[in-house]
Amino acid sequence: MSTITLARPRSPLVSWLAVAAVMLGIFTIVTSEILPIGLLTAIGGDFGVSDGVTGLTMTLPGVVAAISAPVVTLTTARLDRRVMLCVLMAVLAVADVLAAVANSYGVMLVSRVLVGLTIGGFWSIGAGLAGRLVPPRAVGAATAVIFSAVPLGSVLGVPAGTLIGELAGWRAAFLVLAGLAVAVLVGLVLVLPPLPATRVTSVRVLVEVLRSRGAGVALASTSLVVVAHFGTYTYVTPFLQDVTGLAPAAVSAVLLAYGVAGIGGNFLAGRGAGTRLRVTYVSCVLLIAGATLLLPVVGGSGVGAVGLLVVWGLAYGGVPVCSQASFLAAAPHAPEAATVLFTSSFQATFALGAFLGGRVVDGVSVSAVMICGGLVALLAVVALRYLD
């Protein structure tokens, strides 16, 4: 019998408020993770370190999250998941306050370790909760709402945090995030029902899931598409500036359009993944492959580049929800273990993708990295042929 059941009969309004609270938690986490993108120079200047060294504020949370996803979930397996979500949101608030008051770069990195710890734990528990918060017919829509936090973090969270940093200093941006984390914590306490562990996640359960054919396909396809995406998207700004010839202000507008398209793609994929997962997932990855492969060909013009970036954003917006669904489909009896594998693989491979993409950019060109990313995405399509 499936363990994905409602915690208890609740009103539709309260159920959806619980979904919104989890979404806002992930939104706050995503914004905290990637906020340094917009504040990198200011942070580095304050501590007297180079941009390259300051980049550790981005890579460190991803590495820690990949490790903490299984570690936190396994060590707290018997605790009520509502309690864990609240504790992790409190840790995020502490991390953001610590960043805001850091008097050395070492303290700043400690705060980023705490952010990574929160990412791994909160995502592993929260991303798969839709089935316990809403009726079965609404699980697909609720999952899409939860995962909309990812593009929203890029479209709303980072630009807003960057603006605050420009107006009041980068430390103020982290203080605002800490306040948001506290507000989300209050929301979680008020609207989440008790969520006792239904099937305790253990090393044995994780290994059992990982050995299944479906999990292997999900892991391979997720790793390939995430490497393809972050190996290319990390360097899309230099492409737009150097190849397309756009001014910085225009690049910001294009990336905003990309993010808005990503929100739409998230909800479209949320609907499609519930009934036609493989078709939806393959469609998303094929569009990413097509967009990245065509960018060096037609991306020299503004119209061509903008059109492809919108298609790319629409397609990638559906990847997290499809990837999560593929792991859950592989292990319907162990949803939390499946989500742990999803979180860990996603966080580990996005850092790997950015690293490998950087080697191609430095060794060849920014156009070459787009072609390489497109080819890797096509390998993900091959892997998805075996998705049940």
Side-chain angles (χ1 to χ4, degrees):
M1 181 180 295
S2 173
T3 59
I4 306 180
T5 57
L6 287 172
R8 62 182 182 184
R10 312 173 80 213
S11 74
L13 175 60
V14 175
S15 295
W16 281 102
L17 285 175
V19 170
V22 174
M23 183 273 287
L24 287 172
I26 293 180
F27 169 81
T28 309
I29 289 169
V30 169
T31 303
S32 294
E33 180 180 18
I34 63 179
L35 180 60
I37 289 176
L39 303 172
L40 206 67
T41 302
I43 294 172
D46 206 358
F47 292 117
V49 297
S50 68
D51 285 348
V53 174
T54 311
L56 285 172
T57 59
M58 282 295 298
T59 57
L60 194 57
V63 173
V64 174
I67 298 170
S68 68
V71 172
V72 171
T73 308
L74 291 174
T75 55
T76 65
R78 297 184 182 278
L79 295 179
D80 188 297
R81 311 329 271 159
R82 173 176 179 264
V83 172
M84 281 308 304
L85 290 179
C86 292
V87 169
L88 288 165
M89 192 51 52
V91 171
L92 182 65
V94 170
D96 287 333
V97 169
L98 192 60
V101 302
N103 57 5
S104 70
Y105 189 56
V107 174
M108 183 67 182
L109 291 182
V110 170
S111 78
R112 302 305 288 169
V113 169
L114 293 178
V115 171
L117 182 69
T118 304
I119 295 167
F122 198 102
W123 269 58
S124 295
I125 296 169
L129 279 183
R132 299 186 68 183
L133 299 176
V134 297
R137 66 181 181 278
V139 168
T143 300
V145 168
I146 289 173
F147 277 97
S148 69
V150 179
L152 281 172
S154 299
V155 174
L156 298 178
V158 172
T162 303
L163 178 61
I164 293 170
E166 291 174 353
L167 295 176
W170 67 267
R171 295 177 185 273
F174 281 98
L175 277 179
V176 171
L177 270 179
L180 179 59
V182 171
V184 172
L185 170 59
V186 173
L188 291 171
V189 170
L190 293 177
V191 299
L192 275 187
L195 295 167
T198 50
R199 177 175 180 179
V200 175
T201 302
S202 62
V203 174
R204 181 185 61 79
V205 173
L206 277 177
V207 172
E208 175 188 304
V209 173
L210 193 56
R211 284 178 175 173
S212 68
R213 175 179 176 275
V217 173
L219 185 61
S221 56
T222 294
S223 298
L224 288 168
V225 72
V226 172
V227 165
H229 173 73
F230 283 99
T232 50
Y233 185 68
T234 302
Y235 307 99
V236 75
T237 294
F239 181 93
L240 292 173
Q241 291 179 337
D242 300 340
V243 178
T244 310
L246 297 182
V251 170
S252 298
V254 173
L255 295 182
L256 177 62
Y258 167 93
V260 171
I263 295 172
N266 171 80
F267 283 100
L268 287 174
R271 298 186 64 178
T275 55
R276 306 184 70 187
L277 175 57
R278 181 163 59 178
V279 171
T280 303
Y281 203 171
V282 167
S283 298
C284 290
V285 180
L286 276 176
L287 287 174
I288 292 173
T292 52
L293 288 171
L294 286 173
L295 264 176
V297 180
V298 301
S301 72
V303 173
V306 170
L308 289 174
L309 261 293
V310 169
V311 170
W312 188 353
L314 185 72
Y316 184 72
V319 167
V321 68
C322 286
S323 174
Q324 164 81 352
S326 68
F327 278 99
L328 289 175
H333 59 289
E336 190 169 90
T339 308
V340 167
L341 294 177
F342 160 74
T343 304
S344 189
S345 62
F346 210 95
Q347 290 292 329
T349 49
F350 100 75
L352 177 63
F355 173 78
L356 294 176
R359 305 290 73 73
V360 176
V361 169
D362 290 343
V364 189
S365 69
V366 71
S367 291
V369 81
M370 298 297 166
I371 295 172
C372 291
L375 294 176
V376 174
L378 290 178
L379 291 177
V381 172
V382 173
L384 285 170
R385 290 182 56 194
Y386 301 96
L387 187 67
D388 293 330

